[in-house]
Amino acid sequence: MDSMLCRRRMNIAMVLILTLTWLGGICGEFEEQLFEVGKLKMFVDELPDMPRLHGFHSVHGVLKPISLQIGMFYTKWKFHRDLPPTPVFAYGTSRRSATVPGPTIEAVYGVDTYVTWRNHLPSSHILPLDLTISPAAPKYGGIPTVVHLHGGIHEPSSDGNADAWFTAGFRETGPKWTKTTMHYENMQQPGNMWYHDHAMGLTRVNLLAGLVGAYILRHNTVEAPLRLPTGNEFDRPLVVFDRSFRKDGSIYMNATGNNPSIHPQWQPEYFGDAIIVNGKAWPRLSVRRRKYRFRIINASNARFFRFFFSNGLDFVVVGSDSAYLSKPVTTKSVLLSPSEIVDVVVDFSKSPSRTVVLANDAPYPYPGGDPVNEESGKVMKFIVSDDYEADTWTIPNKLINYPPADVSNAVLTRYISMYEYVSDSDEPTHLYVNGLPYDAPVTETPKAGTTEVWEVINLTEDNHPLHIHLGLFKVVEQTALLAAGLEEFTGCMTKYNDAVMCRISKYARGKKTAVTAHERGWKNVFKMMPGHVTRILVRFSYIHSNASYPFDPTQEPGYVYHCHILDHEDNMMMRPLKVIK
Ligand SMILES: *[C@@H]1O[C@H](CO)[C@@H](O)[C@H](O)[C@H]1NC(C)=O
Ligand SMILES: *[C@@H]1O[C@H](CO)[C@@H](O)[C@H](O)[C@H]1NC(C)=O
Ligand SMILES: *[C@@H]1O[C@H](CO)[C@@H](O)[C@H](O)[C@H]1NC(C)=O
Ligand SMILES: CC(=O)N[C@H]1CO[C@H](CO)[C@@H](O)[C@@H]1O
Ligand SMILES: [Cu+2]
């Protein structure tokens, strides 16, 4: 049975909600048609630089916004020289120019970006769906999409709320949809963001299909004096994710859930065998003997990466997520959870060898899972020129110092707990934050302009990257829950979800794990260690000034916070966040 047929049958099956046993049987044969990625030759494709789209133009020397039109198209993409073209969903200004990842959007401080995101997708998905996790369900068919600018500080109606989805031609829109053109103010600190789909219950499949792209916000006045590597050759986003393929080149996602009688398709974590950078599996880049800046975005659904260079070359970390650090941190390895961003300078003039492999040794799931193999342990290769040359870029001693913030600034403390629920066979069925599904009434209502302490209690066995929309946060400390009494505490929490009543202070007294130096700046995603309480300081205002937001953050539909393992987010590890006056 060929893949299209299997998939088509599967969609029909989903619609009819036929039993999974039957589905498993039908597609089982087909699952064996996996492409063995070990057969792909590594480092043969050149690393692409995605098309750059500027959200502004110069009128008599003054920068003015241009309204961008970016479509989502069904097209084919070559992930590797020797892999057949893969059907994908891709962002671009036209079907022909659409890429995976999508174009890099360039924005400048103080100049608004306007984007009309247009859905040109066909009526059925290229990946299996699961109707039991309540995905956005248009009455008239089509694929619901909505774009979130991750790390952006902007109005709620432009935040890409999961229920603000729309189908092709805006034929049908979700309950929280309000308008066609998104408005990003760009009044925040300079740094790295990324845009991606955020439709209810479909985020993992829409991203897997290719709907991701980088967004860079520059602020020349504060960045130029740093003299970091600049220009498209030396300053490049690297969008990293993992995918598996079938022999026909199509993206493989297991169509059988881990608890098929409960969720026909949903699995707690997607892992692919091939590591893709800027749309190519294990690409290569020829570099000059000088400094380069790489803005590395982890766009995996669930894979963590711990990057290091095969020849011991250093990373000089200058920023994490969407903000600069106060000073550079030199390190041999960086651990990125899904959707985290690390901004690094690599000085190839110090390379002791002609070629260097960017490698990964994070187990998956992280931290307790399987070790990486020959394939997932490699990311890309750099071929370093023999010629030494003068380098005009620097690594300054100081970067950008934002005013300090500490726990004494916080107006209140909230406890946020993460739960995973399992079936009789001990397989995860769904995950909740605070024991509540997404559609339960809002419980987190921070006041605009304030700072809060969030004590995040991870009561599961996995590391969950927590992402907060609008707010930026600093990680204060990570404290292990004492093993003695943990069962009692977990039992109490599962029943009442009340950390104070369950006497968190009695249990949160274990070993403290230091926050790594390059993760002490402002972040928008952080890894919540299992069995730990992570204290974060969340700021609901800009980090570089006390100015109030230039939009009304209290509008509908509000914001959200969630786990950024997309498979968890889709199965309810997300909660509303409503800012109040
Ligand atoms: C797909 O998932 C099912 C259920 O977890 C599992 O039994 C099966 O082996 C998986 N198939 C592949 C090819 O990994
Ligand atoms: C990317 O993010 C995923 C999901 O959060 C995580 O599992 C993976 O380790 C991260 N990879 C890298 C390279 O940071
Ligand atoms: C905001 O105001 C407080 C108190 O006046 C000051 O300490 C802090 O540095 C200011 N923060 C910023 C980001 O300017
Ligand atoms: C890996 C790990 O430490 N997991 C722990 C996470 O937290 C729960 C509840 O606190 C423990 O039961 C797990 O052992
Ligand atoms: Cu999670």
Side-chain angles (χ1 to χ4, degrees), residues 37 40-43 240-242 272-277 280-283 303 305-310 356-362 371-382:
V37 297
L40 290 176
K41 197 159 166 23
M42 288 187 179
F43 319 129
V240 186
F241 52 69
D242 54 340
D273 307 324
I275 305 295
I276 317 280
V277 187
K280 295 291 171 189
W282 302 289
R303 182 180 287 277
F305 292 97
R306 185 162 52 210
F307 292 123
F308 64 96
F309 283 111
S310 60
V356 48
V357 172
L358 176 62
N360 161 44
D361 68 357
V372 293
N373 57 18
E374 184 58 26
E375 287 82 40
S376 54
K378 297 199 174 69
V379 179
M380 67 175 287
K381 182 189 243 176
F382 295 94

Side-chain angles (χ1 to χ4, degrees), residues 159-175:
D159 194 50
N161 187 282
D163 285 321
W165 52 265
F166 52 93
T167 57
F170 298 105
R171 176 160 190 230
E172 202 174 340
T173 56

Side-chain angles (χ1 to χ4, degrees), residues 330-341:
T330 300
T331 174
K332 295 278 180 215
S333 75
V334 281
L335 176 67
L336 276 194
S337 75
S339 86
E340 275 188 306
I341 299 181

Side-chain angles (χ1 to χ4, degrees), residues 31-32 34 252 254-258 260 267:
E31 276 167 11
E32 263 111 69
L34 280 184
Y252 170 72
N254 196 333
T256 309
N258 58 322
Q267 296 228 349

Side-chain angles (χ1 to χ4, degrees), residues 79-90:
F79 282 102
H80 186 276
R81 183 188 73 184
D82 301 327
L83 194 64
T86 302
V88 290
F89 292 164

Side-chain angles (χ1 to χ4, degrees), residues 403 539 542-546:
R539 185 171 161 103
Y542 289 116
I543 59 170
H544 64 291
S545 87
N546 280 328

Side-chain angles (χ1 to χ4, degrees), residues 57-267:
H57 63 158
S58 170
V59 180
H60 306 302
V62 180
L63 297 182
K64 301 271 187 198
I66 358 182
S67 195
L68 298 172
Q69 307 275 329
I70 303 178
M72 300 159 218
F73 299 95
Y74 170 74
T75 180
K76 292 206 169 165
W77 181 256
K78 279 283 274 185
F79 282 102
H80 186 276
R81 183 188 73 184
D82 301 327
L83 194 64
T86 302
V88 290
F89 292 164
Y91 289 113
T93 50
S94 68
R95 182 182 307 275
R96 287 189 62 182
S97 64
T99 52
V100 177
T104 299
I105 301 178
E106 296 267 358
V108 295
Y109 179 81
V111 183
D112 311 72
T113 304
Y114 294 93
V115 187
T116 305
W117 302 97
R118 295 191 179 276
N119 178 333
H120 300 288
L121 298 174
S123 54
S124 58
H125 214 287
I126 55 173
L127 293 169
L129 304 180
D130 192 326
L131 297 184
T132 61
I133 61 168
S134 311
K139 285 197 200 82
Y140 306 109
I143 297 167
T145 59
V146 59
V147 181
H148 168 57
L149 175 59
H150 179 118
I153 297 183
H154 44 244
E155 55 176 10
S157 53
S158 291
D159 194 50
N161 187 282
D163 285 321
W165 52 265
F166 52 93
T167 57
F170 298 105
R171 176 160 190 230
E172 202 174 340
T173 56
K176 300 278 174 76
W177 182 88
T178 49
K179 58 182 186 180
T180 50
T181 301
M182 299 294 106
H183 177 193
Y184 309 120
E185 275 83 4
N186 299 324
M187 292 298 287
Q188 66 196 75
Q189 77 292 341
N192 306 308
M193 291 176 252
W194 59 299
Y195 59 93
H196 62 76
D197 196 74
H198 211 267
M200 182 61 76
L202 297 169
T203 301
R204 72 197 186 297
V205 282
N206 286 352
L207 264 80
L208 264 193
L211 297 176
V212 298
Y215 183 111
I216 301 176
L217 175 61
R218 302 182 192 274
H219 190 165
N220 196 45
T221 329
V222 298
E223 293 184 282
L226 305 177
R227 301 186 49 225
L228 291 166
T230 310
N232 293 1
E233 182 181 357
F234 299 108
D235 174 5
R236 316 180 60 145
L238 301 180
V239 179
V240 186
F241 52 69
D242 54 340
R243 293 288 181 276
S244 287
F245 301 95
R246 295 198 191 81
K247 284 185 178 154
D248 64 2
S250 60
I251 296 170
Y252 170 72
M253 184 186 203
N254 196 333
T256 309
N258 58 322
N259 284 300
S261 61
I262 301 171
H263 296 306
Q265 184 278 325
W266 184 82
Q267 296 228 349

